[in-house]
Amino acid sequence: MELLELIDISKQFHVRSGGRRATLSAVDHVSLTVRPGTTLGVVGESGCGKSTLARVIVGLHLADDGEMIFDGKQVLAGKRRTPTELKRMQMVFQDPSSALNPRATISESIGFPLQVQGTPKAVIADRVAKVMHDVGLPAAYASHYPHQLSGGQRQRVNIARALALQPKLVVLDEAVSALDKSIQAQVLNLLSDLQEEYGLTYVFISHDLNVVRYISDDVAVMYLGQVVESGSAQELYDNPKHPYTQLLLSSVPTLDPAQSTRDEPVDSIDSTEIPSPIDPPSGCRFRTRCPFAMDVCAQTAPPRITIADDRTVACHLYADSALPLPHSQEV
Ligand code: SF4
C-alpha cells in the first residue's frame, strides 16, 4: 500500500496581472503516489508549482480540488482537509534561518511542536536530546541561539524539529538549496541515514537534478503546474521520454568530457522561455519550447499515460505507447 496518494490535486491563486484579475493555476490535476520508506523527488524549474504542491501536501495551502490518501486514510477531499494524522507529516523549508525563531534556543525550537501537542516536559527533554544526537548536533548546542550556528547546523535543527513529532512523511522543500555544496552532501547523507533509522518517507522538492537523482527512488517532473513525466529515478534519468525532461537533463553539467551538455544552464533560460502560468499555452503547455511540437499539440492537452510499469509521460509522441487497462487508468 502507498503511504501517500495524490489524486487530481489542483490549486489556483487569484492574482492581479496587468491591472486585471487573473487566475494562476499553480498545480493542475496532479496525481502521484509515494511508497513507504522511499523518496519521491519532484523536480522542475522555478514556478512549476512544486513548492505549492509541497504546501498542499502538508496543509499549508488548501487544495481547490482533488483527493489525498495518507496512510490508508482520506485526509483531503476537495477543499475539506481532515486534521487527523497531520502531525505525521512534517516539512523542512529552504531557508534554515527564517524557519527558526531567533529568540528561541535550539532546544526550545525543536521542542516547540511537542509542547503544542501537550507532550509532558520530561518527554520533550528526552526527545529533543535524542533528535539532536541523531542529526549530529552536540548536546551543548541546546542552549545556543540560531545566530550562533552555521547554515548547515541550522538546517540540522530544522530537520531535528521535523523529527521530534515522529512523522511518517517529511516534505523537504529545496531543503539543501541554500547550503554550500560540501554541506549539501553532508545533509543529504544525513537524510539518507535518518530515512533508514526512522523508516521515513520523503517528498523531496528541488530544482537541482543532480541532488534529486542522488536521493530519490522515484521522480516526478513538473512543468507549469502539471506532471509531465514520472518513473523510477534510474529509468527516468537514463532514458528520459518527455522532451521537457530531455531539455532539463541536457542542461545538467557533467564532469565527463566525453559527454556534451547545452551551452546554457537551464536556470539561465528560465525567465525568457517559460510561459506565464496565468496564461499558459493551449494544448500542451510545453509546446512553445518543444522542438517536436506538432499541430495537435496546440489543440489538445496530451493525457498522462502509463508506458511501462510505474512510468508515465504526458506527450502526444507516445500516444501509441500506452499500456492497456488497467494500468492506463493511473493518471
Ligand atoms: Fe512536445 Fe507535443 Fe509532446 Fe508537448 S505533446 S512535449 S509539444 S511533442
Side-chain angles (χ1 to χ4, degrees):
M1 187 175 70
E2 318 292 358
L3 180 72
L4 181 70
E5 193 173 356
L6 307 177
I7 305 163
D8 265 340
I9 297 284
S10 293
K11 175 66 185 173
Q12 297 179 335
F13 294 102
H14 301 293
V15 297
R16 292 198 78 82
S17 171
R20 64 184 176 87
R21 290 184 181 188
T23 300
L24 188 158
S25 177
V27 174
D28 187 30
H29 297 282
V30 165
S31 297
L32 289 170
T33 56
V34 192
R35 294 174 286 124
T38 66
T39 299
L40 171 70
V42 181
V43 70
E45 291 162 288
S46 172
C48 72
K50 54 191 189 301
S51 288
T52 303
L53 181 66
R55 286 167 176 265
V56 167
I57 292 172
V58 297
L60 291 176
H61 286 323
L62 279 182
D64 292 314
D65 208 356
E67 189 182 351
M68 187 162 90
I69 314 287
F70 177 64
D71 205 15
K73 295 183 186 134
Q74 185 190 60
V75 294
L76 180 87
K79 293 179 189 293
R80 273 188 305 110
R81 176 98 194 193
T82 318
T84 327
E85 294 290 314
L86 265 187
K87 67 178 182 180
R88 297 285 180 219
M89 297 179 191
Q90 292 295 305
M91 187 158 173
V92 177
F93 297 90
Q94 175 175 1
D95 183 353
S97 302
S98 61
L100 293 172
N101 180 350
R103 293 194 179 87
T105 64
I106 300 310
S107 64
E108 287 168 346
S109 285
I110 297 173
F112 182 69
L114 292 163
Q115 196 184 331
V116 171
Q117 297 289 327
T119 310
K121 279 187 178 170
V123 176
I124 294 178
D126 285 350
R127 190 83 60 81
V128 169
K130 174 165 175 30
V131 292
M132 282 187 67
H133 171 267
D134 290 348
V135 301
L137 287 170
Y141 284 20
S143 57
H144 284 33
Y145 288 87
H147 73 271
Q148 296 175 283
L149 274 57
S150 68
Q153 289 168 336
R154 283 194 285 268
Q155 198 60 309
R156 286 174 191 258
V157 174
N158 286 312
I159 294 167
R161 183 174 56 183
L163 293 182
L165 281 173
Q166 299 178 317
K168 287 192 168 179
L169 178 76
V170 180
V171 178
L172 301 132
D173 185 12
E174 301 279 8
V176 299
S177 302
L179 306 177
D180 291 344
K181 286 290 174 200
S182 61
I183 307 296
Q184 269 190 8
Q186 291 174 18
V187 174
L188 287 171
N189 288 334
L190 171 68
L191 289 170
S192 295
D193 293 344
L194 293 171
Q195 182 168 44
E196 207 171 312
E197 183 180 343
Y198 283 74
L200 294 168
T201 303
Y202 293 145
V203 175
F204 190 90
I205 310 279
S206 180
H207 69 282
D208 187 326
L209 287 118
N210 283 327
V211 166
V212 168
R213 179 174 205 170
Y214 179 77
I215 200 164
S216 303
D217 298 288
D218 300 297
V219 174
V221 181
M222 286 188 72
Y223 185 75
L224 282 184
Q226 299 174 331
V227 174
V228 296
E229 182 166 4
S230 67
S232 76
Q234 182 165 358
E235 284 186 24
L236 189 138
Y237 276 76
D238 287 352
N239 187 16
K241 297 290 188 189
H242 196 281
Y244 177 57
T245 314
Q246 293 167 1
L247 169 76
L248 280 179
L249 290 177
S250 69
S251 59
V252 176
T254 173
L255 294 177
D256 182 354
Q259 291 183 16
S260 64
T261 57
R262 286 173 62 101
D263 293 332
E264 296 175 291
V266 78
D267 278 352
S268 72
I269 57 176
D270 280 0
S271 56
T272 53
E273 295 192 21
I274 299 182
S276 166
I278 294 174
D279 188 20
S282 63
C284 173
R285 293 185 173 190
F286 186 60
R287 70 177 170 81
T288 53
R289 299 170 73 186
C290 180
F292 310 108
M294 307 168 279
D295 288 346
V296 65
C297 303
Q299 293 151 11
T300 312
R304 189 168 151 216
I305 57 171
T306 301
I307 55 170
D309 280 350
D310 298 325
R311 190 80 193 270
T312 72
V313 65
C315 173
H316 289 304
L317 293 173
Y318 303 94
D320 297 331
S321 308
L323 287 181
L325 292 172
H327 299 291
S328 58
Q329 289 173 332
E330 186 187 326
V331 291

